[in-house]
Amino acid sequence: MTNLAVFASGSGSNFEAIARSCADGRLDARVVVCVCDRPGAGVVERARRLGVPVLEFRPRDYAGKRDFERMIADRLDEEGVELVCLAGYMRIVGEELLGRYGGRILNIHPALLPAFPGAHAIRDAFEYGVKVYGVTIHYIDETIDGGTIVSQAAVPYDGDDIDEVEAMIHQAEHRLYVDTISRIINSKEGKQE
Ligand code: GRF
Protein backbone atom coordinates (compact mmCIF):
# COMPACT_ATOMS: atom_id res chain seq x y z
CA MET A 1 0.00 0.00 0.00
CA THR A 2 1.58 3.27 -1.14
CA ASN A 3 0.94 6.54 0.68
CA LEU A 4 0.03 9.37 -1.67
CA ALA A 5 -0.38 13.10 -1.17
CA VAL A 6 -2.46 15.02 -3.71
CA PHE A 7 -1.99 18.79 -4.07
CA ALA A 8 -4.77 20.86 -5.65
CA SER A 9 -5.93 24.47 -5.79
CA GLY A 10 -9.22 24.19 -7.63
CA SER A 11 -12.16 21.94 -8.36
CA GLY A 12 -10.33 18.70 -7.62
CA SER A 13 -11.76 16.34 -10.23
CA ASN A 14 -8.34 14.69 -10.65
CA PHE A 15 -8.01 14.42 -6.88
CA GLU A 16 -11.39 12.69 -6.79
CA ALA A 17 -10.46 10.23 -9.56
CA ILE A 18 -7.33 9.25 -7.63
CA ALA A 19 -9.05 9.05 -4.24
CA ARG A 20 -11.92 6.95 -5.62
CA SER A 21 -9.50 4.56 -7.31
CA CYS A 22 -7.76 4.09 -3.97
CA ALA A 23 -11.08 3.51 -2.22
CA ASP A 24 -12.34 0.93 -4.72
CA GLY A 25 -9.02 -0.95 -4.85
CA ARG A 26 -8.04 -0.06 -8.42
CA LEU A 27 -4.97 1.57 -6.88
CA ASP A 28 -3.01 -0.22 -4.18
CA ALA A 29 -2.59 3.13 -2.44
CA ARG A 30 -4.28 5.57 -0.11
CA VAL A 31 -4.42 9.36 -0.17
CA VAL A 32 -3.11 10.24 3.29
CA VAL A 33 -3.43 14.00 2.79
CA CYS A 34 -4.92 16.46 0.34
CA VAL A 35 -2.91 19.70 0.32
CA CYS A 36 -4.79 22.83 -0.74
CA ASP A 37 -3.42 26.37 -0.90
CA ARG A 38 -6.88 27.91 -1.44
CA PRO A 39 -9.16 27.33 1.53
CA GLY A 40 -12.70 26.86 0.28
CA ALA A 41 -11.69 25.47 -3.11
CA GLY A 42 -13.91 22.73 -4.52
CA VAL A 43 -11.30 20.08 -3.79
CA VAL A 44 -11.73 20.63 -0.04
CA GLU A 45 -15.39 19.65 -0.13
CA ARG A 46 -14.63 16.61 -2.30
CA ALA A 47 -11.91 15.51 0.15
CA ARG A 48 -14.24 15.85 3.13
CA ARG A 49 -16.90 13.81 1.35
CA LEU A 50 -14.39 11.07 0.60
CA GLY A 51 -12.95 11.12 4.12
CA VAL A 52 -9.49 12.28 3.07
CA PRO A 53 -7.65 14.52 5.58
CA VAL A 54 -7.06 18.04 4.24
CA LEU A 55 -4.12 20.34 4.88
CA GLU A 56 -5.44 23.81 3.99
CA PHE A 57 -3.21 26.83 4.26
CA ARG A 58 -3.01 30.43 3.10
CA PRO A 59 0.37 31.23 1.56
CA ARG A 60 0.07 34.84 2.73
CA ASP A 61 0.06 33.67 6.35
CA TYR A 62 3.69 32.64 5.91
CA ALA A 63 6.82 34.74 5.49
CA GLY A 64 7.59 33.04 2.19
CA LYS A 65 7.44 29.91 0.08
CA ARG A 66 10.22 28.21 2.00
CA ASP A 67 8.20 28.49 5.22
CA PHE A 68 4.95 27.03 3.97
CA GLU A 69 6.75 24.36 2.00
CA ARG A 70 8.63 23.35 5.16
CA MET A 71 5.28 23.04 6.96
CA ILE A 72 3.92 20.89 4.09
CA ALA A 73 7.02 18.69 3.84
CA ASP A 74 6.97 18.10 7.62
CA ARG A 75 3.38 16.85 7.30
CA LEU A 76 4.30 14.63 4.34
CA ASP A 77 7.14 13.17 6.42
CA GLU A 78 4.76 12.52 9.32
CA GLU A 79 2.29 10.76 7.04
CA GLY A 80 4.99 8.67 5.37
CA VAL A 81 4.17 10.00 1.89
CA GLU A 82 5.96 8.12 -0.88
CA LEU A 83 4.55 9.83 -3.96
CA VAL A 84 3.19 13.36 -4.42
CA CYS A 85 0.62 13.99 -7.17
CA LEU A 86 0.10 17.59 -8.21
CA ALA A 87 -3.42 17.89 -9.61
CA GLY A 88 -4.15 21.47 -10.54
CA TYR A 89 -1.84 22.91 -7.87
CA MET A 90 -1.45 26.41 -9.27
CA ARG A 91 1.88 27.19 -7.71
CA ILE A 92 5.48 26.63 -8.68
CA VAL A 93 7.04 24.12 -6.34
CA GLY A 94 10.12 25.57 -4.67
CA GLU A 95 13.45 24.40 -3.35
CA GLU A 96 12.24 23.14 0.01
CA LEU A 97 9.76 20.62 -1.40
CA LEU A 98 11.99 19.74 -4.36
CA GLY A 99 14.90 19.21 -1.99
CA ARG A 100 12.96 16.83 0.21
CA TYR A 101 10.59 15.16 -2.28
CA GLY A 102 12.38 15.70 -5.62
CA GLY A 103 12.05 12.73 -7.96
CA ARG A 104 8.80 11.73 -6.24
CA ILE A 105 6.55 14.59 -7.41
CA LEU A 106 4.30 14.04 -10.42
CA ASN A 107 2.33 16.72 -12.23
CA ILE A 108 -0.50 16.52 -14.74
CA HIS A 109 -0.66 19.02 -17.57
CA PRO A 110 -3.59 19.34 -20.03
CA ALA A 111 -1.50 19.40 -23.22
CA LEU A 112 1.10 17.36 -25.03
CA LEU A 113 4.26 18.88 -23.55
CA PRO A 114 6.54 20.45 -24.59
CA ALA A 115 3.72 22.08 -26.58
CA PHE A 116 1.55 24.56 -24.68
CA PRO A 117 3.16 24.86 -21.24
CA GLY A 118 1.69 27.33 -18.76
CA ALA A 119 -1.59 27.96 -17.02
CA HIS A 120 -3.88 28.25 -20.09
CA ALA A 121 -2.82 25.21 -22.08
CA ILE A 122 -6.26 24.15 -23.32
CA ARG A 123 -7.23 27.63 -24.44
CA ASP A 124 -3.83 28.16 -26.07
CA ALA A 125 -4.09 24.88 -28.00
CA PHE A 126 -7.68 25.69 -29.04
CA GLU A 127 -6.74 29.17 -30.26
CA TYR A 128 -3.78 27.72 -32.13
CA GLY A 129 -6.18 25.39 -33.92
CA VAL A 130 -4.62 22.03 -33.09
CA LYS A 131 -6.50 18.88 -34.06
CA VAL A 132 -4.85 16.59 -31.53
CA TYR A 133 -4.98 17.77 -27.92
CA GLY A 134 -3.68 15.75 -25.05
CA VAL A 135 -2.48 15.17 -21.52
CA THR A 136 0.99 14.76 -20.04
CA ILE A 137 2.10 13.31 -16.73
CA HIS A 138 5.65 14.24 -15.78
CA TYR A 139 7.98 14.40 -12.84
CA ILE A 140 8.60 18.01 -11.91
CA ASP A 141 11.89 19.81 -11.68
CA GLU A 142 12.71 23.49 -11.15
CA THR A 143 11.44 24.50 -14.61
CA ILE A 144 7.79 25.27 -15.41
CA ASP A 145 6.13 22.20 -16.92
CA GLY A 146 9.58 20.65 -17.48
CA GLY A 147 10.92 17.41 -16.04
CA THR A 148 10.86 13.84 -17.27
CA ILE A 149 7.71 12.81 -19.10
CA VAL A 150 6.18 9.60 -17.72
CA SER A 151 3.11 9.21 -19.92
CA GLN A 152 0.95 11.01 -22.46
CA ALA A 153 -2.47 10.52 -24.01
CA ALA A 154 -3.69 12.08 -27.23
CA VAL A 155 -7.18 13.54 -27.50
CA PRO A 156 -8.14 14.05 -31.17
CA TYR A 157 -10.75 16.78 -31.64
CA ASP A 158 -11.70 18.66 -34.77
CA GLY A 159 -14.69 20.65 -33.51
CA ASP A 160 -15.12 24.27 -32.49
CA ASP A 161 -16.50 23.98 -28.95
CA ILE A 162 -13.87 24.61 -26.32
CA ASP A 163 -16.12 23.32 -23.53
CA GLU A 164 -16.54 20.04 -25.36
CA VAL A 165 -12.83 19.49 -25.88
CA GLU A 166 -12.12 20.56 -22.32
CA ALA A 167 -14.48 17.90 -21.00
CA MET A 168 -12.81 15.29 -23.22
CA ILE A 169 -9.38 16.31 -21.93
CA HIS A 170 -10.49 16.09 -18.31
CA GLN A 171 -11.84 12.59 -18.84
CA ALA A 172 -8.54 11.57 -20.44
CA GLU A 173 -6.70 13.14 -17.47
CA HIS A 174 -8.56 11.09 -14.91
CA ARG A 175 -7.85 7.83 -16.73
CA LEU A 176 -4.21 8.61 -17.44
CA TYR A 177 -3.41 9.80 -13.92
CA VAL A 178 -4.80 6.67 -12.29
CA ASP A 179 -3.13 4.35 -14.83
CA THR A 180 0.21 6.11 -14.46
CA ILE A 181 0.16 6.03 -10.67
CA SER A 182 -0.74 2.37 -10.86
CA ARG A 183 2.23 1.64 -13.14
CA ILE A 184 4.62 3.53 -10.87
CA ILE A 185 3.37 1.79 -7.75
CA ASN A 186 3.54 -1.65 -9.34
CA SER A 187 7.03 -1.16 -10.72
CA LYS A 188 8.16 0.13 -7.32
CA GLU A 189 6.97 -3.08 -5.74
CA GLY A 190 8.68 -5.11 -8.42
CA LYS A 191 5.39 -6.43 -9.81
CA GLN A 192 4.88 -7.04 -13.48
CA GLU A 193 3.05 -4.35 -15.38
C1 GRF B 1 -6.34 19.96 -14.87
O1 GRF B 1 -6.69 20.29 -16.18
C2 GRF B 1 -4.86 19.77 -14.75
O2 GRF B 1 -4.27 19.22 -15.88
C3 GRF B 1 -4.37 21.18 -14.56
O3 GRF B 1 -5.34 21.77 -13.71
C4 GRF B 1 -6.60 21.14 -13.93
C5 GRF B 1 -7.15 20.70 -12.60
O4 GRF B 1 -8.47 20.25 -12.69
N1 GRF B 1 -3.03 21.18 -14.05
P1 GRF B 1 -9.19 19.58 -11.44
O5 GRF B 1 -9.07 20.56 -10.27
O6 GRF B 1 -8.47 18.29 -11.14
O7 GRF B 1 -10.60 19.36 -11.83
Side-chain angles (χ1 to χ4, degrees), residues 74-134:
D74 287 347
R75 174 72 178 264
L76 302 188
D77 288 353
E78 268 166 41
E79 305 282 356
V81 168
E82 296 160 274
L83 185 65
V84 174
C85 304
L86 305 183
Y89 181 64
M90 301 307 285
R91 208 163 271 286
I92 295 169
V93 172
E95 284 172 19
E96 183 73 23
L97 269 170
L98 273 174
R100 287 166 65 175
Y101 279 83
R104 291 182 286 164
I105 308 179
L106 288 173
N107 182 44
I108 185 161
H109 183 75
L112 293 171
L113 289 172
F116 306 111
H120 307 289
I122 298 176
R123 197 184 67 206
D124 293 345
F126 184 80
E127 284 173 0
Y128 196 91
V130 305
K131 305 300 175 211
V132 180
Y133 295 76

Side-chain angles (χ1 to χ4, degrees), residues 10-14 87-88 108-110 170 173:
S11 126
S13 68
N14 281 283
I108 185 161
H109 183 75
H170 287 315
E173 286 191 319

Side-chain angles (χ1 to χ4, degrees), residues 2-172:
T2 300
N3 288 342
L4 307 177
V6 180
F7 288 35
S9 309
S11 126
S13 68
N14 281 283
F15 158 80
E16 180 158 349
I18 295 167
R20 282 194 183 281
S21 297
C22 291
D24 70 18
R26 277 200 60 204
L27 280 178
D28 186 19
R30 63 184 153 230
V31 182
V32 291
V33 64
C34 168
V35 176
C36 179
D37 62 334
R38 285 192 193 151
V43 69
V44 174
E45 179 52 36
R46 291 190 202 247
R48 298 239 155 89
R49 245 190 296 122
L50 292 164
V52 173
V54 180
L55 174 60
E56 283 178 279
F57 69 100
R58 273 192 189 77
R60 65 166 184 266
D61 292 343
Y62 293 80
K65 183 179 289 213
R66 186 173 287 281
D67 298 77
F68 67 72
E69 288 201 340
R70 187 172 298 136
M71 174 278 293
I72 297 170
D74 287 347
R75 174 72 178 264
L76 302 188
D77 288 353
E78 268 166 41
E79 305 282 356
V81 168
E82 296 160 274
L83 185 65
V84 174
C85 304
L86 305 183
Y89 181 64
M90 301 307 285
R91 208 163 271 286
I92 295 169
V93 172
E95 284 172 19
E96 183 73 23
L97 269 170
L98 273 174
R100 287 166 65 175
Y101 279 83
R104 291 182 286 164
I105 308 179
L106 288 173
N107 182 44
I108 185 161
H109 183 75
L112 293 171
L113 289 172
F116 306 111
H120 307 289
I122 298 176
R123 197 184 67 206
D124 293 345
F126 184 80
E127 284 173 0
Y128 196 91
V130 305
K131 305 300 175 211
V132 180
Y133 295 76
V135 179
T136 302
I137 314 266
H138 62 99
Y139 283 108
I140 65 158
D141 61 15
E142 60 293 335
T143 62
I144 295 177
D145 295 326
T148 307
I149 291 176
V150 184
S151 60
Q152 293 186 304
V155 178
Y157 180 74
D158 196 6
D160 59 2
D161 182 347
I162 190 166
D163 295 332
E164 188 177 28
V165 71
E166 194 163 343
M168 290 166 68
I169 291 169
H170 287 315
Q171 277 189 5

